[in-house]
Structure formats: structure tokens, C-alpha cells
Short mmCIF file of all heavy atoms in Angstrom, two decimals:
data_model
loop_
_atom_site.label_atom_id
_atom_site.label_comp_id
_atom_site.label_asym_id
_atom_site.label_seq_id
_atom_site.Cartn_x
_atom_site.Cartn_y
_atom_site.Cartn_z
N MET A 258 127.46 80.89 91.77
CA MET A 258 126.88 80.48 93.02
C MET A 258 127.57 81.26 94.14
O MET A 258 128.78 81.31 94.22
CB MET A 258 127.06 78.98 93.21
CG MET A 258 126.56 78.49 94.53
SD MET A 258 126.81 76.73 94.77
CE MET A 258 125.34 76.12 94.00
N LYS A 259 126.79 81.87 95.00
CA LYS A 259 127.35 82.61 96.12
C LYS A 259 126.83 81.99 97.42
O LYS A 259 125.62 81.88 97.62
CB LYS A 259 126.94 84.07 96.03
CG LYS A 259 127.56 84.94 97.07
CD LYS A 259 128.24 86.13 96.42
CE LYS A 259 128.72 87.09 97.48
NZ LYS A 259 130.11 87.01 97.73
N HIS A 260 127.77 81.55 98.25
CA HIS A 260 127.42 80.91 99.51
C HIS A 260 128.55 81.20 100.49
O HIS A 260 129.72 81.19 100.11
CB HIS A 260 127.27 79.40 99.31
CG HIS A 260 126.69 78.72 100.50
ND1 HIS A 260 127.44 78.35 101.58
CD2 HIS A 260 125.42 78.33 100.78
CE1 HIS A 260 126.67 77.77 102.47
NE2 HIS A 260 125.44 77.74 102.01
N PRO A 261 128.26 81.46 101.77
CA PRO A 261 129.31 81.80 102.72
C PRO A 261 130.33 80.68 102.97
O PRO A 261 131.42 80.94 103.44
CB PRO A 261 128.57 82.15 104.00
CG PRO A 261 127.17 81.68 103.82
CD PRO A 261 126.93 81.55 102.35
N HIS A 262 129.98 79.44 102.63
CA HIS A 262 130.90 78.33 102.87
C HIS A 262 131.56 77.81 101.59
O HIS A 262 132.17 76.75 101.60
CB HIS A 262 130.19 77.19 103.59
CG HIS A 262 129.67 77.59 104.93
ND1 HIS A 262 130.49 77.98 105.97
CD2 HIS A 262 128.41 77.68 105.40
CE1 HIS A 262 129.75 78.28 107.01
NE2 HIS A 262 128.48 78.12 106.70
N LEU A 263 131.39 78.52 100.49
CA LEU A 263 132.00 78.13 99.22
C LEU A 263 132.81 79.29 98.65
O LEU A 263 132.37 80.44 98.70
CB LEU A 263 130.93 77.74 98.19
CG LEU A 263 130.08 76.52 98.51
CD1 LEU A 263 129.00 76.36 97.46
CD2 LEU A 263 130.94 75.27 98.58
N LEU A 264 133.98 78.98 98.12
CA LEU A 264 134.78 80.00 97.46
C LEU A 264 134.18 80.32 96.10
O LEU A 264 133.69 79.42 95.41
CB LEU A 264 136.21 79.50 97.24
CG LEU A 264 137.08 79.34 98.47
CD1 LEU A 264 138.42 78.73 98.06
CD2 LEU A 264 137.31 80.66 99.14
N GLN A 265 134.26 81.57 95.71
CA GLN A 265 133.84 81.92 94.37
C GLN A 265 134.99 81.64 93.41
O GLN A 265 136.13 82.02 93.67
CB GLN A 265 133.46 83.39 94.28
CG GLN A 265 132.04 83.66 94.68
CD GLN A 265 131.59 85.00 94.17
OE1 GLN A 265 131.95 86.02 94.73
NE2 GLN A 265 130.83 84.99 93.10
N VAL A 266 134.69 80.96 92.32
CA VAL A 266 135.69 80.67 91.30
C VAL A 266 135.47 81.68 90.18
O VAL A 266 134.37 81.80 89.65
CB VAL A 266 135.55 79.23 90.77
CG1 VAL A 266 136.50 78.98 89.63
CG2 VAL A 266 135.81 78.25 91.91
N TRP A 267 136.55 82.39 89.82
CA TRP A 267 136.44 83.41 88.79
C TRP A 267 136.91 82.93 87.43
O TRP A 267 136.44 83.39 86.41
CB TRP A 267 137.23 84.66 89.20
CG TRP A 267 136.63 85.36 90.38
CD1 TRP A 267 135.32 85.69 90.55
CD2 TRP A 267 137.29 85.79 91.55
NE1 TRP A 267 135.14 86.31 91.76
CE2 TRP A 267 136.33 86.38 92.40
CE3 TRP A 267 138.60 85.75 91.98
CZ2 TRP A 267 136.65 86.92 93.63
CZ3 TRP A 267 138.92 86.28 93.21
CH2 TRP A 267 137.94 86.86 94.02
N GLN A 268 137.87 82.02 87.41
CA GLN A 268 138.40 81.58 86.12
C GLN A 268 139.01 80.20 86.28
O GLN A 268 139.59 79.87 87.31
CB GLN A 268 139.46 82.57 85.63
CG GLN A 268 139.99 82.27 84.26
CD GLN A 268 141.00 83.33 83.82
OE1 GLN A 268 141.58 84.03 84.63
NE2 GLN A 268 141.21 83.43 82.53
N VAL A 269 138.86 79.39 85.24
CA VAL A 269 139.51 78.08 85.17
C VAL A 269 140.30 78.05 83.88
O VAL A 269 139.78 78.40 82.81
CB VAL A 269 138.47 76.94 85.19
CG1 VAL A 269 139.15 75.60 85.05
CG2 VAL A 269 137.64 76.99 86.46
N HIS A 270 141.56 77.67 83.97
CA HIS A 270 142.43 77.63 82.80
C HIS A 270 143.12 76.27 82.77
O HIS A 270 143.73 75.86 83.75
CB HIS A 270 143.47 78.75 82.87
CG HIS A 270 144.38 78.79 81.69
ND1 HIS A 270 143.97 79.16 80.44
CD2 HIS A 270 145.68 78.46 81.57
CE1 HIS A 270 144.98 79.09 79.61
NE2 HIS A 270 146.04 78.66 80.28
N ALA A 271 143.02 75.59 81.64
CA ALA A 271 143.64 74.27 81.49
C ALA A 271 144.78 74.34 80.49
O ALA A 271 144.66 74.97 79.43
CB ALA A 271 142.62 73.25 81.04
N THR A 272 145.88 73.72 80.85
CA THR A 272 147.00 73.51 79.94
C THR A 272 147.23 72.00 79.88
O THR A 272 146.68 71.26 80.69
CB THR A 272 148.28 74.22 80.43
OG1 THR A 272 148.73 73.58 81.62
CG2 THR A 272 148.05 75.69 80.69
N PRO A 273 148.06 71.54 78.95
CA PRO A 273 148.33 70.10 78.92
C PRO A 273 148.98 69.59 80.22
O PRO A 273 148.83 68.43 80.57
CB PRO A 273 149.28 69.94 77.74
CG PRO A 273 148.98 71.10 76.86
CD PRO A 273 148.62 72.22 77.78
N ALA A 274 149.66 70.46 80.92
CA ALA A 274 150.39 70.03 82.13
C ALA A 274 149.61 70.23 83.43
O ALA A 274 149.88 69.55 84.41
CB ALA A 274 151.71 70.79 82.22
N ALA A 275 148.67 71.17 83.46
CA ALA A 275 148.02 71.49 84.73
C ALA A 275 146.67 72.17 84.53
O ALA A 275 146.38 72.67 83.45
CB ALA A 275 148.92 72.38 85.57
N LEU A 276 145.90 72.19 85.59
CA LEU A 276 144.64 72.90 85.63
C LEU A 276 144.78 74.03 86.66
O LEU A 276 145.21 73.79 87.79
CB LEU A 276 143.51 71.96 86.05
CG LEU A 276 142.13 72.56 86.20
CD1 LEU A 276 141.60 73.04 84.85
CD2 LEU A 276 141.17 71.54 86.80
N TYR A 277 144.47 75.25 86.27
CA TYR A 277 144.60 76.40 87.16
C TYR A 277 143.21 76.94 87.47
O TYR A 277 142.39 77.09 86.59
CB TYR A 277 145.43 77.51 86.51
CG TYR A 277 146.83 77.08 86.20
CD1 TYR A 277 147.16 76.58 84.94
CD2 TYR A 277 147.82 77.15 87.16
CE1 TYR A 277 148.46 76.18 84.66
CE2 TYR A 277 149.12 76.75 86.88
CZ TYR A 277 149.42 76.26 85.62
OH TYR A 277 150.70 75.86 85.35
N ILE A 278 142.99 77.22 88.75
CA ILE A 278 141.72 77.78 89.19
C ILE A 278 142.00 79.10 89.89
O ILE A 278 142.80 79.14 90.82
CB ILE A 278 140.99 76.82 90.15
CG1 ILE A 278 140.68 75.50 89.43
CG2 ILE A 278 139.71 77.46 90.68
CD1 ILE A 278 140.10 74.44 90.33
N VAL A 279 141.35 80.16 89.44
CA VAL A 279 141.49 81.47 90.07
C VAL A 279 140.23 81.69 90.90
O VAL A 279 139.12 81.71 90.38
CB VAL A 279 141.64 82.59 89.02
CG1 VAL A 279 141.76 83.94 89.69
CG2 VAL A 279 142.82 82.32 88.11
N SER A 280 140.43 81.83 92.22
CA SER A 280 139.29 81.99 93.11
C SER A 280 139.59 83.07 94.14
O SER A 280 140.71 83.57 94.23
CB SER A 280 138.98 80.66 93.82
OG SER A 280 140.02 80.33 94.70
N GLU A 281 138.57 83.38 94.90
CA GLU A 281 138.75 84.38 95.95
C GLU A 281 139.69 83.83 97.03
O GLU A 281 139.83 82.62 97.19
CB GLU A 281 137.42 84.78 96.55
CG GLU A 281 136.75 83.71 97.36
CD GLU A 281 135.43 84.16 97.97
OE1 GLU A 281 135.40 85.18 98.68
OE2 GLU A 281 134.42 83.47 97.73
N TYR A 282 140.32 84.73 97.76
CA TYR A 282 141.22 84.34 98.85
C TYR A 282 140.40 84.15 100.12
O TYR A 282 139.57 84.99 100.47
CB TYR A 282 142.29 85.41 99.07
CG TYR A 282 143.14 85.15 100.28
CD1 TYR A 282 144.08 84.14 100.28
CD2 TYR A 282 142.97 85.90 101.44
CE1 TYR A 282 144.86 83.89 101.40
CE2 TYR A 282 143.75 85.67 102.57
CZ TYR A 282 144.69 84.65 102.54
OH TYR A 282 145.45 84.40 103.64
N LEU A 283 140.64 83.06 100.79
CA LEU A 283 139.97 82.78 102.05
C LEU A 283 141.03 82.67 103.13
O LEU A 283 141.81 81.71 103.13
CB LEU A 283 139.16 81.49 101.97
CG LEU A 283 138.40 81.10 103.22
CD1 LEU A 283 137.30 82.13 103.51
CD2 LEU A 283 137.78 79.73 103.06
N PRO A 284 141.12 83.63 104.04
CA PRO A 284 142.13 83.56 105.10
C PRO A 284 141.81 82.44 106.08
O PRO A 284 140.66 82.07 106.26
CB PRO A 284 142.04 84.92 105.78
CG PRO A 284 140.66 85.40 105.51
CD PRO A 284 140.28 84.82 104.17
N GLY A 285 142.84 81.91 106.67
CA GLY A 285 142.66 80.86 107.67
C GLY A 285 143.49 79.64 107.34
O GLY A 285 144.42 79.69 106.54
N PHE A 286 143.14 78.53 107.95
CA PHE A 286 143.87 77.28 107.78
C PHE A 286 143.04 76.29 106.98
O PHE A 286 141.81 76.28 107.10
CB PHE A 286 144.19 76.66 109.14
CG PHE A 286 145.02 77.55 110.02
CD1 PHE A 286 144.45 78.25 111.06
CD2 PHE A 286 146.38 77.67 109.80
CE1 PHE A 286 145.21 79.08 111.87
CE2 PHE A 286 147.16 78.49 110.60
CZ PHE A 286 146.57 79.19 111.63
N ASP A 287 143.71 75.45 106.20
CA ASP A 287 142.98 74.38 105.54
C ASP A 287 142.92 73.17 106.48
O ASP A 287 143.61 73.12 107.49
CB ASP A 287 143.61 74.03 104.19
CG ASP A 287 145.07 73.60 104.30
OD1 ASP A 287 145.42 72.95 105.29
OD2 ASP A 287 145.84 73.91 103.39
N LEU A 288 142.08 72.22 106.14
CA LEU A 288 141.89 71.07 107.02
C LEU A 288 143.15 70.20 107.12
O LEU A 288 143.38 69.56 108.14
CB LEU A 288 140.70 70.24 106.56
CG LEU A 288 139.34 70.86 106.83
CD1 LEU A 288 138.23 69.96 106.30
CD2 LEU A 288 139.13 71.15 108.30
N GLU A 289 143.96 70.19 106.08
CA GLU A 289 145.20 69.42 106.13
C GLU A 289 146.14 69.98 107.20
O GLU A 289 146.77 69.23 107.95
CB GLU A 289 145.90 69.43 104.77
CG GLU A 289 147.17 68.60 104.76
CD GLU A 289 147.85 68.59 103.41
OE1 GLU A 289 147.36 69.22 102.47
OE2 GLU A 289 148.91 67.95 103.32
N THR A 290 146.22 71.31 107.32
CA THR A 290 147.06 71.94 108.33
C THR A 290 146.54 71.62 109.73
O THR A 290 147.31 71.31 110.64
CB THR A 290 147.11 73.47 108.11
OG1 THR A 290 147.62 73.72 106.81
CG2 THR A 290 147.98 74.15 109.14
N VAL A 291 145.23 71.68 109.90
CA VAL A 291 144.63 71.37 111.19
C VAL A 291 144.90 69.91 111.57
O VAL A 291 145.30 69.61 112.69
CB VAL A 291 143.11 71.67 111.19
CG1 VAL A 291 142.44 71.18 112.46
CG2 VAL A 291 142.87 73.15 110.98
N ALA A 292 144.70 69.01 110.61
CA ALA A 292 144.93 67.58 110.88
C ALA A 292 146.40 67.31 111.20
O ALA A 292 146.71 66.54 112.11
CB ALA A 292 144.48 66.75 109.69
N SER A 293 147.31 67.95 110.47
CA SER A 293 148.74 67.77 110.73
C SER A 293 149.11 68.29 112.12
O SER A 293 149.90 67.66 112.83
CB SER A 293 149.57 68.49 109.68
OG SER A 293 149.35 67.92 108.41
N SER A 294 148.56 69.43 112.49
CA SER A 294 148.84 69.99 113.81
C SER A 294 148.33 69.07 114.92
O SER A 294 149.02 68.85 115.91
CB SER A 294 148.18 71.37 113.95
OG SER A 294 148.72 72.27 113.02
N CYS A 295 147.15 68.52 114.73
CA CYS A 295 146.61 67.58 115.72
C CYS A 295 147.48 66.33 115.81
O CYS A 295 147.72 65.81 116.91
CB CYS A 295 145.17 67.20 115.36
SG CYS A 295 144.00 68.54 115.59
N ALA A 296 147.98 65.86 114.67
CA ALA A 296 148.83 64.67 114.67
C ALA A 296 150.15 64.96 115.39
O ALA A 296 150.64 64.13 116.15
CB ALA A 296 149.09 64.21 113.24
N LEU A 297 150.72 66.14 115.15
CA LEU A 297 151.97 66.51 115.82
C LEU A 297 151.78 66.61 117.34
O LEU A 297 152.65 66.22 118.11
CB LEU A 297 152.50 67.84 115.29
CG LEU A 297 153.18 67.80 113.93
CD1 LEU A 297 153.49 69.21 113.45
CD2 LEU A 297 154.45 66.96 113.99
N LEU A 298 150.65 67.15 117.75
CA LEU A 298 150.35 67.28 119.18
C LEU A 298 149.83 65.98 119.79
O LEU A 298 149.68 65.88 121.00
CB LEU A 298 149.31 68.39 119.39
CG LEU A 298 149.76 69.80 119.02
CD1 LEU A 298 148.57 70.75 119.07
CD2 LEU A 298 150.87 70.27 119.95
N LYS A 299 149.54 65.01 118.92
CA LYS A 299 148.99 63.72 119.35
C LYS A 299 147.69 63.91 120.13
O LYS A 299 147.45 63.27 121.15
CB LYS A 299 150.00 62.92 120.16
CG LYS A 299 151.22 62.56 119.35
CD LYS A 299 152.20 61.74 120.14
CE LYS A 299 153.38 61.44 119.21
NZ LYS A 299 154.46 60.80 119.88
N ARG A 300 146.86 64.84 119.61
CA ARG A 300 145.56 65.12 120.21
C ARG A 300 144.53 65.25 119.09
O ARG A 300 144.81 65.88 118.07
CB ARG A 300 145.59 66.42 121.00
CG ARG A 300 146.52 66.37 122.20
CD ARG A 300 146.50 67.65 122.96
NE ARG A 300 145.16 67.85 123.52
CZ ARG A 300 144.80 68.95 124.15
NH1 ARG A 300 145.65 69.94 124.31
NH2 ARG A 300 143.59 69.07 124.63
N PRO A 301 143.36 64.70 119.26
CA PRO A 301 142.31 64.89 118.24
C PRO A 301 141.77 66.31 118.30
O PRO A 301 141.89 66.99 119.32
CB PRO A 301 141.24 63.88 118.64
CG PRO A 301 141.42 63.70 120.11
CD PRO A 301 142.91 63.87 120.37
N PRO A 302 141.18 66.77 117.22
CA PRO A 302 140.56 68.11 117.27
C PRO A 302 139.37 68.09 118.23
O PRO A 302 138.79 67.05 118.52
CB PRO A 302 140.09 68.35 115.83
CG PRO A 302 140.03 67.00 115.21
CD PRO A 302 141.01 66.14 115.92
N LEU A 303 139.02 69.26 118.73
CA LEU A 303 137.90 69.37 119.65
C LEU A 303 136.60 68.95 118.95
O LEU A 303 136.39 69.24 117.77
CB LEU A 303 137.75 70.80 120.15
CG LEU A 303 138.92 71.35 120.98
CD1 LEU A 303 138.70 72.82 121.28
CD2 LEU A 303 139.05 70.55 122.27
N THR A 304 135.74 68.29 119.69
CA THR A 304 134.47 67.82 119.14
C THR A 304 133.65 68.98 118.58
O THR A 304 133.04 68.86 117.52
CB THR A 304 133.67 67.07 120.22
OG1 THR A 304 134.47 66.00 120.72
CG2 THR A 304 132.38 66.52 119.67
N ALA A 305 133.64 70.10 119.28
CA ALA A 305 132.88 71.26 118.81
C ALA A 305 133.41 71.76 117.47
O ALA A 305 132.63 72.16 116.60
CB ALA A 305 132.94 72.38 119.85
N PHE A 306 134.73 71.73 117.28
CA PHE A 306 135.33 72.15 116.01
C PHE A 306 134.92 71.21 114.88
O PHE A 306 134.54 71.65 113.79
CB PHE A 306 136.85 72.23 116.13
CG PHE A 306 137.54 72.57 114.85
CD1 PHE A 306 137.50 73.86 114.36
CD2 PHE A 306 138.23 71.60 114.14
CE1 PHE A 306 138.13 74.19 113.17
CE2 PHE A 306 138.86 71.92 112.95
CZ PHE A 306 138.81 73.22 112.46
N VAL A 307 134.98 69.91 115.15
CA VAL A 307 134.60 68.93 114.13
C VAL A 307 133.13 69.09 113.76
O VAL A 307 132.77 69.04 112.58
CB VAL A 307 134.89 67.49 114.63
CG1 VAL A 307 134.35 66.45 113.67
CG2 VAL A 307 136.38 67.29 114.85
N CYS A 308 132.27 69.31 114.75
CA CYS A 308 130.84 69.52 114.48
C CYS A 308 130.61 70.80 113.67
O CYS A 308 129.76 70.83 112.77
CB CYS A 308 130.06 69.57 115.78
SG CYS A 308 129.96 67.98 116.62
N PHE A 309 131.35 71.85 113.98
CA PHE A 309 131.23 73.11 113.23
C PHE A 309 131.60 72.90 111.76
O PHE A 309 130.88 73.34 110.86
CB PHE A 309 132.13 74.18 113.86
CG PHE A 309 132.21 75.43 113.04
CD1 PHE A 309 131.18 76.35 113.05
CD2 PHE A 309 133.32 75.68 112.24
CE1 PHE A 309 131.24 77.51 112.28
CE2 PHE A 309 133.40 76.82 111.47
CZ PHE A 309 132.35 77.74 111.49
N ILE A 310 132.72 72.20 111.51
CA ILE A 310 133.16 71.94 110.13
C ILE A 310 132.13 71.07 109.40
O ILE A 310 131.77 71.34 108.25
CB ILE A 310 134.55 71.28 110.11
CG1 ILE A 310 135.60 72.22 110.70
CG2 ILE A 310 134.93 70.84 108.71
CD1 ILE A 310 135.77 73.52 109.94
N ALA A 311 131.66 70.02 110.06
CA ALA A 311 130.67 69.13 109.44
C ALA A 311 129.39 69.89 109.10
O ALA A 311 128.81 69.70 108.02
CB ALA A 311 130.36 67.96 110.37
N ALA A 312 128.95 70.77 109.99
CA ALA A 312 127.74 71.55 109.73
C ALA A 312 127.94 72.52 108.57
O ALA A 312 127.05 72.70 107.74
CB ALA A 312 127.32 72.31 110.98
N ALA A 313 129.13 73.13 108.49
CA ALA A 313 129.41 74.06 107.39
C ALA A 313 129.44 73.34 106.05
O ALA A 313 128.92 73.84 105.05
CB ALA A 313 130.73 74.79 107.64
N VAL A 314 130.04 72.16 106.02
CA VAL A 314 130.09 71.36 104.79
C VAL A 314 128.68 70.93 104.39
O VAL A 314 128.29 71.04 103.22
CB VAL A 314 131.04 70.15 104.95
CG1 VAL A 314 130.90 69.19 103.78
CG2 VAL A 314 132.47 70.61 105.10
N ALA A 315 127.91 70.45 105.36
CA ALA A 315 126.53 70.03 105.06
C ALA A 315 125.69 71.19 104.55
O ALA A 315 124.91 71.04 103.61
CB ALA A 315 125.89 69.42 106.31
N ASP A 316 125.87 72.38 105.14
CA ASP A 316 125.14 73.56 104.70
C ASP A 316 125.52 73.93 103.27
O ASP A 316 124.67 74.28 102.46
CB ASP A 316 125.42 74.72 105.65
CG ASP A 316 124.60 75.95 105.32
OD1 ASP A 316 123.38 75.80 105.08
OD2 ASP A 316 125.18 77.05 105.30
N ALA A 317 126.81 73.85 102.96
CA ALA A 317 127.27 74.19 101.61
C ALA A 317 126.75 73.19 100.57
O ALA A 317 126.47 73.56 99.44
CB ALA A 317 128.80 74.23 101.58
N LEU A 318 126.62 71.94 100.96
CA LEU A 318 126.15 70.91 100.03
C LEU A 318 124.64 70.91 99.88
O LEU A 318 124.11 70.34 98.92
CB LEU A 318 126.62 69.53 100.49
CG LEU A 318 128.12 69.28 100.42
CD1 LEU A 318 128.45 67.93 101.05
CD2 LEU A 318 128.62 69.34 98.99
N ASP A 319 123.94 71.53 100.80
CA ASP A 319 122.47 71.54 100.75
C ASP A 319 121.95 72.30 99.56
O ASP A 319 122.36 73.31 99.19
CB ASP A 319 121.92 72.13 102.05
CG ASP A 319 120.39 72.10 102.08
OD1 ASP A 319 119.80 71.23 101.44
OD2 ASP A 319 119.83 72.97 102.77
#
């Protein structure tokens, strides 16, 4: 599956201890980093940013 809002997964490897996923590299920040930064600053993320993320997720799930 190729979509601009989804990472391509090239390989999945399972061992008794862990599951490894080899995927393409996506530069930028993950949502956990953004949420932590907002918590440290004691400010919510911008409404436009939240709408952009929600639209990207909805597009990927469509």
C-alpha cells in the first residue's frame, strides 16, 4: 500500500522476545514529542495543527 500519510513497511521479523518492523524513514517529530513539548510549555497545540493531523489520519484511514 502506498499513501503519503502511511509509512511503507518492508519487513516484519518476530522473535520470542520482540517484534521488529523495518520501514521507511520519516523525518520530523512524532505525536508523543509534540504532546510532551506542549505539556512542558503548558500550552495546547494550535487548533490548525490539530486539524491538519486529524485530516491526515482520516485521509490515511479512508
